[in-house]
Structures are given as structure tokens and as C-alpha cells.
Amino acid sequence: MFFKFTKGKKPSLRTICAALTAVFLFALGNLLFKPSSYSLDIQSTPAQYNIFNSQLYVQGPPTQRFRDNLRNDTKYITSWGSAGWTNDVITYGNLIYLALITERIPIIPKFLSNHIDPSAPPFVFEEIFDVPRLSQAIGIHLLQWHEVKDPESQVVDDLGCWTVWETVQRHIKVPEPRRSPSLNVLKLDISWTRTPAWVELTSPSIHHNHASFWSLASLGFPEARSKSLELSLTNHPSSQHQVSLPPDDHVLCFDLLYYVSAHHTWEWELDYSPAWRFVGQHMRWTASMEKIADAHARRAMNVPVTQPTPPYISIHIRHGDFSKQCEGFPVDQCFAPLSVIARRVSEVQEELRTRKGIHVTHVIMTSDERDPEWWSDVRALGWTWVDYAAERTEEIYGKWHPVFLDAIIQSNGAGFVGTRGSTMSTLASRRVQTWHDGATRLVSWGWPGADDH
Ligand SMILES: Nc1nc2c(ncn2[C@@H]2O[C@H](COP(=O)(O)OP(=O)(O)OP(=O)(O)O)[C@@H](O)[C@H]2O)c(=O)[nH]1
Ligand SMILES: *[C@@H]1O[C@H](CO)[C@@H](O)[C@H](O)[C@H]1NC(C)=O
């Protein structure tokens, strides 16, 4: 929560036949089952080949000014992240879902390191998420900012955007647009216009700060847009060039799409979450990331090279700055003790045994806890973890990799035990349930006995 916040090898004839058959079946499947509205405006070849080709959605290679690269027959949508990595994954998932329902092409920014070492360079979306697979699953093309505007460009572009954050922040006296560090990286000078009050989510729960998907989507269509612009909404001139611009319609943009739901706040935690169902579940890891994660998991479990990776139960225990939510309890009484976590692991083992007939003994812990004593208690339970220092993962792959690999290892558990209130745990549960039909539990915490049940 945001606080509650085969390379080099010649293909065999058999491979070629299999590939041709696959392409044929794929094309046939698409003809039969895909709604034709996704084919956009390109008629000559099957749409599914076009959705992977970014060049059809921009003028050409990335330009100094992003606007020079936009097509006049295509509408776009964008937004930016500004929190921990998983929060930003949710934010980008919400952006892509809004793109679906507004029939616009999303432009996705890079991930910026907020929770990890700030010296870690921005990380491109398609290097962790399999973009062609996602595109094919949801039927629209995805653009990334580096394909539109040259990352080396020194040109500061003006852009008019909607601020949702200023409208829905109830707890602040003088609400403001949410400023993402991405805007500096992309050299965008934004003039913000406050969204109408009606974007706020009417929810059965009384949490603050959320907007609703369809109210935001309506701003991407002419009628709601022009009616809104009649309302004399607060506009902030851009901070560098001091220009006042109306919200752009060619590139519909919003400051922050983290707090957005269809029906209920914190909706990614709920089974019907449309952003999860129509987008999030299709955000699969790239094959190369999967491979690195599998190698790390195998070494953590000491799997001999001749054996397949055994099923395991993954755990995510979020500590660190979650201690701020302890409300007076010392952390050893606030965070769930390992005995309580072990009880949840047994439940997951039991469910996997009875429901799926699989006997899972391997347990892999992931956590932001740094106390070596806590980790030796984890070892005493017979559980293991990836030792990123010993693996030299950061030196070899970069600073982002431990969090990516932990997320992938969590998501590939036959079962999962996580920390209630952590988005990293929320997403791991969703993935284990949807991708592996796994057993999941979230541990409650905050006071002694919080997880009693
Ligand atoms: N490598 C690793 N990093 C973790 C782990 N748990 C937390 N972190 C770090 O802490 C960050 C937590 O932020 P998010 O990913 O947004 O998830 P969250 O648990 O909802 O936390 P908040 O955003 O702070 O509320 C992660 O992105 C990681 O950088 C873990 O198990 N392994
Ligand atoms: C749109 O762009 C194309 C090619 O870039 C150009 O030929 C056409 O005149 C433009 N249409 C409008 C309405 O500007």
C-alpha cells in the first residue's frame, strides 16, 4: 500500500512446421474470437501482427519533441508513477486499463527507483514485462515513452494534463497536482487542470482519495470533455514556461492513476478488480527475467542440475517502514512473529495437499527485513531465501534485480503467504491464484494476536 497508502541454432523442419501451424491457428483463433474493433485503422494485414509494431503508432524513431512523433489519426493516453515499484506497477496497470476503455494507445513511462537506491537508472517497462504477450492478450498496442521522445532530448515540452490528485485529496488543506519525478526525466512541463469533483469514486467503503475509472475515461470523449471545460476548473500554469494550457485531447494525461477503481477502493485486492482481470493478469514476466529468477530460486533450494525446479511456497514479509503503522506497539509485538507466519504456511501446505494433491516442502522467504537474527530464525524453520549479496546479483544485473527477482519468485510459488496491506503481497497473491491456481494467505499484523483466527 502507498502508506495505505535458442539462439544461433538453425530451426529444424519440425520446428518450422510447428511454427507455421501455430501461426495459422493463432490467426484463425483471432479471426474467430477477437472483436474486430481492436484492429484500429490498419486494414491490409491481420491486426495481431500490427499491434506489435510500434512504428504504426508513431511517425518514426523517437523525436526531440514528443509531439512531432504523434500521428494525427491516433489518440493516446499517458500518466506517470511516483511511489514504490509495486505501486507503480498498479498505476501502469490502471493506465493500460483506462487505455482499453477509452480506445486510446497508452504511452508507458520507465520505472523510477524510489524505494531502492536512487542511483539505480530508470528501468524500461518491456524489460520486465512481456509487452508483445500483453498486447496480444488485451488486443491493443502499447507504446513506451522512449519510443516517442528521445530519452537524450534536452527539449522541454509543454503539455496540458488533468490533475486527479488535486480533486480527490480530502486530507489536505491545499491540495496540489501530484508531481512525478518522471516529468523531469521526460522533460515535460505540465499545465494542470483540476478534474471535476464528480471524478471521485462513490464507494461502499469510506476510504479517501480514489477516482473512478469511467469518470476519468469520460474525459477522453468529446461530450464530457467540453462540458467539463465549461466549468472554469482551476488551472495551474506550467512551472517552467508559465504557460496555461487546457488538458490535451491528443494525448489524454492524468497526474496519478494509483487511486483509481471501478467500484471499491483498493480494488486490486478484490477478486473482481477489472484492472487486474483485463490487464494485470496479462502482465507476465519476460522470458529472460523468468530464467534469471528460476536460476536464483534453484540455487536457494539447492536443486541439483539434473532435477526440475520443485514446487515451493513463497513468503513475502514486509517490514521496514511499515513500522510507522505500528501505532505505539514495539515492532516485535506489531509485526507477526515467525510462529504465526509458520501457521499460515501450514495452512497453505494443507490446502495444496487436499485440493491439488501436491506435497510442498520447500519454502522460500522474501522480505525487506535486515536483521540477521530474524533471518537465522527463518533458517531454523527449515526455510530458505535468495542471498543476493552472495549471488552478486546487483553487480551482475543491476540494483533493480533483487526486487524484480523476489517478485517473480513470489509469483511462481505453488502457494504464497504474504503481508496484509503490502501491494507487493497483494500482487503476489493475485498472480499465484490466477497463474498457478495456488493457495494463498495474507498475515494480519499491527498488534499482538492480530492474525489470530
Ligand atoms: N528485494 C525486496 N525488496 C522489497 C521486499 N519487500 C519490500 N521491498 C522494497 O520495498 C518496496 C515496497 O514498495 P511497493 O513495491 O510499492 O510495495 P508495498 O509493500 O505496498 O510498500 P509501500 O509502497 O511502501 O506501501 C519494494 O518496491 C521494494 O523496493 C522484498 O521482499 N524483497
Ligand atoms: C495527417 O497526417 C498525414 C501524414 O502525416 C497528412 O498527409 C494529413 O494531411 C494529416 N491530416 C490532417 C487532418 O492534418
Side-chain angles (χ1 to χ4, degrees):
M1 59 192 178
F2 214 89
F3 77 81
K4 197 140 213 174
F5 246 108
T6 51
K7 201 168 151 192
K9 243 172 69 183
K10 270 198 179 159
S12 68
L13 186 63
R14 201 180 131 154
T15 312
I16 293 168
C17 290
L20 288 174
T21 311
V23 167
F24 172 75
L25 288 175
F26 176 60
L28 184 73
N30 281 313
L31 281 173
L32 292 174
F33 300 118
K34 280 272 160 101
S36 62
S37 64
Y38 288 143
S39 66
L40 297 160
D41 56 338
I42 295 102
Q43 304 287 319
S44 52
T45 50
Q48 282 63 37
Y49 301 103
N50 291 330
I51 65 174
F52 304 139
N53 186 357
S54 281
Q55 291 311 307
L56 295 169
Y57 300 89
V58 285
Q59 300 271 358
T63 47
Q64 297 300 299
R65 299 167 194 279
F66 78 88
R67 215 172 278 283
D68 292 342
N69 211 358
L70 304 180
R71 290 178 58 115
N72 59 16
D73 57 357
T74 304
K75 287 195 170 186
Y76 305 87
I77 182 169
T78 196
S79 186
W80 304 275
S82 54
W85 178 60
T86 322
N87 284 256
D88 288 351
V89 171
I90 291 177
T91 297
Y92 294 2
N94 288 345
L95 165 63
I96 298 167
Y97 181 60
L98 261 183
L100 267 181
I101 65 176
T102 56
E103 295 182 284
R104 286 170 176 260
I105 300 298
I107 311 178
I108 306 166
K110 293 178 183 174
F111 290 113
L112 298 188
S113 53
N114 295 293
H115 275 65
I116 60 168
D117 188 329
S119 73
F123 204 92
V124 174
F125 184 81
E126 70 187 342
E127 281 175 24
I128 172 93
F129 292 109
D130 183 338
V131 166
R133 183 173 178 168
L134 172 58
S135 242
Q136 197 228 309
I138 70 176
I140 63 166
H141 183 74
L142 311 166
L143 276 175
Q144 296 163 82
W145 265 102
H146 68 271
E147 298 175 298
V148 181
K149 179 171 179 172
D150 184 350
E152 303 296 315
S153 170
Q154 295 304 311
V155 179
V156 176
D157 283 302
D158 301 328
L159 177 63
C161 295
W162 294 103
T163 162
V164 187
W165 189 232
E166 187 174 295
T167 308
V168 299
Q169 277 177 98
R170 290 288 198 82
H171 59 292
I172 287 171
K173 272 219 181 82
V174 187
E176 290 192 328
R178 181 88 170 202
R179 291 173 216 279
S180 161
S182 278
L183 300 174
N184 290 332
V185 173
L186 290 164
K187 300 206 160 42
L188 297 174
D189 192 23
I190 312 278
S191 169
W192 300 105
T193 300
R194 200 194 271 213
T195 48
W198 50 253
V199 302
E200 195 162 355
L201 179 75
T202 330
S203 170
S205 92
I206 315 151
H207 288 118
H208 303 283
N209 300 339
H210 280 67
S212 94
F213 276 117
W214 267 106
S215 60
L216 296 182
S218 75
L219 294 169
F221 297 88
E223 291 170 13
R225 173 185 166 80
S226 58
K227 276 201 184 120
S228 302
L229 293 180
E230 284 163 14
L231 295 171
S232 72
L233 300 161
T234 308
N235 173 279
H236 304 274
S238 69
S239 56
Q240 293 181 55
H241 298 156
Q242 298 293 317
V243 289
S244 283
L245 294 170
D248 207 274
D249 190 44
H250 199 182
V251 181
L252 177 65
C253 44
F254 298 100
D255 55 349
L256 183 69
L257 296 175
Y258 178 75
Y259 301 96
V260 185
S261 294
H263 173 59
H264 200 287
T265 51
W266 315 111
E267 208 164 63
W268 282 63
E269 295 175 2
L270 305 172
D271 54 6
Y272 63 84
S273 160
W276 168 256
R277 293 185 50 240
F278 293 102
V279 177
Q281 67 159 317
H282 304 296
M283 292 169 64
R284 306 294 296 248
W285 315 115
T286 57
S288 64
M289 282 286 178
E290 288 272 10
K291 210 170 142 191
I292 301 169
D294 183 58
H296 279 76
R298 292 173 63 86
R299 286 192 290 272
M301 293 185 285
N302 275 314
V303 184
V305 279
T306 51
Q307 307 270 309
T309 307
Y312 60 85
I313 291 167
S314 52
I315 314 180
H316 175 234
I317 298 303
R318 181 76 161 83
H319 283 171
D321 58 0
F322 270 26
S323 63
K324 288 184 214 150
Q325 300 171 48
C326 286
E327 292 176 2
F329 290 108
V331 288
D332 60 335
Q333 290 181 46
C334 164
F335 291 145
L338 284 167
S339 56
V340 162
I341 296 160
R343 180 168 62 193
R344 291 296 193 177
V345 170
S346 304
E347 288 171 22
V348 164
Q349 281 169 319
E350 186 55 29
E351 183 184 328
L352 289 171
R353 196 163 29 237
T354 54
R355 183 162 67 82
K356 302 188 75 180
I358 49 177
H359 183 68
V360 183
T361 54
H362 293 277
V363 178
I364 305 182
M365 173 65 85
T366 64
S367 176
D368 56 354
E369 179 57 63
R370 288 160 189 265
D371 178 8
E373 252 182 69
W374 186 85
W375 285 101
S376 63
D377 293 344
V378 170
R379 179 77 78 207
L381 288 163
W383 302 343
T384 188
W385 64 87
V386 176
D387 185 340
Y388 290 106
E391 291 271 357
R392 297 180 47 249
T393 308
E394 289 194 10
E395 284 109 293
I396 299 169
Y397 298 105
K399 299 224 155 107
W400 281 101
H401 273 64
V403 59
F404 292 164
L405 300 181
D406 275 350
I408 299 170
I409 291 169
Q410 290 161 10
S411 74
N412 284 332
F416 172 74
V417 174
T419 306
R420 197 166 284 284
S422 161
T423 55
M424 198 177 187
S425 287
T426 302
L427 282 201
S429 319
R430 287 263 89 89
R431 291 171 177 141
V432 169
Q433 288 164 12
T434 310
W435 298 349
H436 313 300
D437 182 31
T440 67
R441 298 288 187 281
L442 294 176
V443 177
S444 297
W445 55 281
W447 61 93
D451 197 51
D452 289 352
H453 59 284

